[in-house]
Amino acid sequence: SPRLTLPAPPGIARLQTTDLALRAWRAPDLSSRSLAISSDGSQLYALAGDEVVVIDARTGATLARYAAPVGARALRLLPNDAATRP
């Protein structure tokens, strides 16, 4: 069933859309200002401070950290083939 994922500093909340009940709490020590979700829903990307944190959506484990561009305010995921399109 559909879920809503949103930054809820500190942490990331996953809510059930039918009743807005909290279903999961991820990265409880992370204060993010933007989120993106992989197309298969397996990974969350959180813009926090000066980095992008990749989080396993199922377990909440941090998978990777990458430096974010200075002044970044939001995340946007591109399709895998975006670099090869004209």
Side-chain angles (χ1 to χ4, degrees):
S1 57
R3 295 204 175 151
L4 177 65
T5 303
L6 61 147
I12 298 169
R14 296 196 80 180
L15 306 177
Q16 184 70 38
T17 58
T18 55
D19 59 4
L20 297 181
L22 181 65
R23 295 296 183 222
W25 193 264
R26 301 288 180 243
D29 59 340
L30 188 69
S31 290
S32 61
R33 61 186 176 275
S34 180
L35 290 178
I37 303 172
S38 63
S39 60
D40 65 1
S42 67
Q43 294 180 342
L44 302 172
Y45 300 85
L47 181 59
D50 58 356
E51 63 185 0
V52 174
V53 182
V54 183
I55 300 163
D56 183 299
R58 188 178 55 79
T59 66
T62 297
L63 302 175
R65 293 177 179 267
Y66 301 100
V70 173
R73 296 182 308 206
L75 293 172
R76 182 178 87 171
L77 296 181
L78 299 173
N80 287 339
D81 63 346
T84 60
R85 286 192 225 165

